[in-house]
Amino acid sequence: MANEVMLKFVDRAQAFPPKREAQLRAQDFREIAERYAPPSAEEQAGRCSQCGVPYCSVHCPLHNHIPDWLRLTAEGRLREAYELSNSTSTMPEICGRICPQDRLCEGNCVIEFSQHGSVTIGSVEKFITDTAWEEGWVEPLVPGPARGQSVGVIGAGPAGLTAAEYLRKLGYEVHVYDRHDRPGGLLTYGIPGFKLEKPVVMRRTDRLAEGGIVFHQSFEVGRDATLEQLRARHDAVLIATGVYKARAIKAPGVGADGMVEALDYLIASNRKSFGDTVPAFDDGSLNAQGKNVVVIGGGDTAMDCVRTAVRQGAASVKCLYRRDRANMPGSQRETANAEEEGVEFVWLSAPEAFAAGPETNGAVTAVKAVGMRLGAPDASGRRAPEPDPGSAFDVPADLVIKALGYDAEDLPTLFGASELGVTRWGTIRTDARTMMSNLDGVFAAGDIVKGASLVVQAIRDGRDVSERMHNWLKAQATAPVRKAREAA
């Protein structure tokens, strides 16, 4: 059967689900492509070469069983495909939407190397699990037999939610503490709906709540409880806050009105999508409508910002990035989507200063930029950008969005836990084997350990840390029994 439906990449062209026309999709926050119809998904899954060494799986942080569930999809065995996909990932339909497949599984597909175009792995993954939700194949979260131990998880993003799910399945009482009023972290508030519609996230978090995981929303550790108080409340604590401290730009005029942080801007937009009252959006501070928008940065967050500004009705949207297109960190697919929607990229450019004048009451009017050129490779192997003399130019701007990445917040101070060990980058220092911090029973996972990374990596970390915490908690539970036997 498999031989009949697979290995079709030679005579069957790569075909992604069709995108809506750029002018139409730029008017709303719906996802830009529809889901495959079943025959199309099966046909595209059948292009897989079933190679002996599946580089797609090797380069997936979760090591998903990609060739196997592609084969099952091609054979029309969708429920089995879903069960296999779900066995390694807590959020397959989310990864199918937002993973940079062009840098991971699809970018390392063997048939991509042979110039036939990779298998459309992400789109098939999305199709499989969306179908599972519709057909009722996604089972409720059923907790294991109660162990009499509880875990506190700080942060309701992908790492924290994944660990919470696995630990609940193992029978632990799980409480999740998060600063926002809805769970999901950056999945809910950081990623725009045109990449990840919010009901997709909410059905996942609703499932966890229905499975007995207790969510404490609008809860700030350090304000509502110290880390030490949470340690006293639970048998183990996981810190999975992510990194949210925006990297600063050092340049004259940087404090002018109209200069905003990327995350503040994206959160405001996502809140409006939920129907929330957002004063900073309503007064125009975090709203691009009618403005000349300049986004500074070249990562995925910058792509989210420029495409959001288009949908808000900006007069113009430009993205300044100090390297060229080939060396940008963001997804090339997202860049192409942005260009289709009318975004202008100004490559090899960086801000030197920001102009503001009395005629605008101190609000920004332009970005004073300088052209860049790529010099010798730096320590990372990338060619370092350097100013190109005599290439200064101005870019008119009413709204400047800074999207230069994120660093860790000062958690020891924020959590009232000066004893919490951190690295020189502010990330939590953990034992590589146990994933525990220097505080007994306090674990950490996700971006707060590794720095800003991918959602799929955070899910992997959440899966790994749940196993480490389970092993430690089991040892703690048996320790009193062991001591009693030794005393007898």
Side-chain angles (χ1 to χ4, degrees):
M1 179 70 174
N3 290 336
E4 296 175 8
V5 298
M6 305 308 293
L7 311 174
K8 302 294 186 181
F9 62 91
V10 175
D11 54 13
R12 185 177 297 164
Q14 180 193 64
F16 288 93
K19 293 187 290 187
R20 294 186 290 140
E21 291 185 19
Q23 287 186 332
L24 293 177
R25 71 184 194 236
Q27 297 174 17
D28 60 49
F29 282 85
R30 287 176 49 216
E31 291 176 11
I32 69 171
E34 303 297 342
R35 199 174 79 213
Y36 278 132
S40 298
E42 293 170 11
E43 289 174 2
Q44 289 300 307
R47 297 180 67 248
C48 176
S49 65
Q50 296 289 295
C51 53
V53 179
Y55 292 118
C56 56
S57 296
V58 170
H59 288 271
C60 170
L62 289 166
H63 301 314
N64 288 330
H65 306 301
I66 296 170
D68 296 324
W69 50 251
L70 286 172
R71 177 178 53 80
L72 291 167
T73 302
E75 294 173 359
R77 298 158 63 185
L78 287 182
R79 184 160 191 168
E80 294 171 78
Y82 160 69
E83 290 170 352
L84 190 58
S85 171
N86 190 63
S87 69
T88 52
S89 175
T90 56
M91 305 176 186
E93 77 280 25
I94 292 175
C95 289
R97 286 168 161 85
I98 63 174
C99 268
Q101 287 98 6
D102 53 341
R103 302 204 306 261
L104 298 174
C105 54
E106 294 178 19
N108 291 281
C109 177
V110 167
I111 65 172
E112 172 77 7
F113 301 154
S114 64
Q115 308 302 310
H116 285 91
S118 68
V119 179
T120 53
I121 297 168
S123 298
V124 175
E125 183 178 33
K126 170 185 171 181
F127 165 81
I128 291 169
T129 312
D130 281 356
T131 301
W133 280 102
E134 291 176 0
E135 296 295 329
W137 301 337
V138 179
E139 297 178 352
L141 170 57
V142 179
R147 293 179 174 274
Q149 292 172 294
S150 73
V151 174
V153 178
I154 304 172
L161 294 179
T162 295
E165 177 169 345
Y166 282 117
L167 289 165
R168 184 64 181 148
K169 285 181 179 178
L170 290 166
Y172 296 100
E173 180 183 325
V174 180
H175 292 252
V176 179
Y177 303 88
D178 192 76
R179 64 176 57 164
H180 292 297
D181 57 351
R182 294 178 180 91
L186 65 87
L187 300 176
T188 299
Y189 286 125
I191 298 174
F194 52 78
K195 286 172 62 177
L196 178 61
E197 291 179 5
K198 300 311 153 187
V200 175
V201 182
M202 294 300 104
R203 68 188 180 189
R204 276 287 170 193
T205 58
D206 288 348
R207 175 177 170 273
L208 299 183
E210 291 162 3
I213 293 174
V214 181
F215 287 93
H216 303 264
Q217 301 300 147
S218 302
F219 188 105
E220 292 190 21
V221 180
R223 181 193 69 187
D224 299 298
T226 63
L227 178 61
E228 189 57 36
Q229 288 170 329
L230 290 184
R231 292 179 71 191
R233 192 179 299 178
H234 300 287
D235 295 283
V237 172
L238 170 64
I239 302 174
T241 57
V243 290
Y244 286 97
K245 179 182 176 183
R247 291 176 185 160
I249 298 175
K250 296 180 180 179
V254 77
D257 289 342
M259 298 189 64
V260 302
E261 303 295 348
L263 193 57
D264 293 340
Y265 175 70
L266 293 172
I267 288 174
S269 178
N270 279 312
R271 283 194 176 281
K272 290 301 290 186
S273 297
F274 278 110
D276 294 353
T277 299
V278 186
F281 182 94
D282 297 334
D283 69 16
S285 303
L286 295 174
N287 185 352
Q289 185 174 11
K291 297 178 180 178
N292 294 311
V293 177
V294 175
V295 176
I296 300 170
D300 290 331
T301 298
M303 299 305 102
D304 292 344
C305 290
V306 294
R307 299 181 66 201
T308 295
V310 168
R311 285 159 175 76
Q312 290 177 351
S316 68
V317 183
K318 292 181 172 64
C319 181
L320 271 59
Y321 180 57
R322 59 184 182 161
R323 289 184 168 93
D324 59 11
R325 184 183 194 123
N327 287 281
M328 69 177 298
S331 166
Q332 294 289 344
R333 290 180 186 172
E334 285 299 293
T335 304
N337 287 332
E339 288 177 323
E340 291 169 4
E341 293 164 5
V343 176
E344 179 184 343
F345 287 85
V346 187
W347 306 110
L348 292 167
S349 63
E352 278 195 319
F354 301 91
E359 69 279 3
T360 58
N361 296 317
V364 67
T365 58
V367 177
K368 293 187 172 295
V370 61
M372 307 292 284
R373 62 189 181 192
L374 296 180
D378 59 18
S380 69
R382 300 173 74 195
R383 294 177 64 191
E386 55 188 33
D388 189 4
S391 61
F393 61 99
D394 289 355
V395 182
D398 308 307
L399 178 65
V400 175
I401 303 173
K402 298 174 285 182
L404 292 114
Y406 302 95
D407 293 320
E409 298 167 286
D410 181 5
L411 291 193
T413 300
L414 197 64
F415 286 2
S418 59
E419 68 278 14
L420 180 63
V422 296
T423 68
R424 62 190 178 96
W425 299 282
T427 52
I428 296 178
R429 189 183 301 278
T430 59
D431 181 283
R433 182 176 57 85
T434 64
M435 300 181 75
M436 190 187 295
S437 73
N438 65 307
L439 302 180
D440 199 40
V442 177
F443 298 77
D447 289 2
I448 194 57
V449 175
K450 295 182 175 176
S453 187
L454 301 173
V455 168
V456 66
Q457 184 62 60
I459 295 171
R460 167 65 187 269
D461 288 357
R463 190 178 75 186
D464 289 349
V465 79
S466 67
E467 179 185 347
R468 309 301 198 281
M469 295 176 75
H470 177 49
N471 291 337
W472 186 83
L473 285 162
K474 283 192 300 181
Q476 296 303 113
T478 57
V481 176
R482 194 166 56 246
K483 289 177 181 178
R485 287 174 180 166
E486 291 171 354

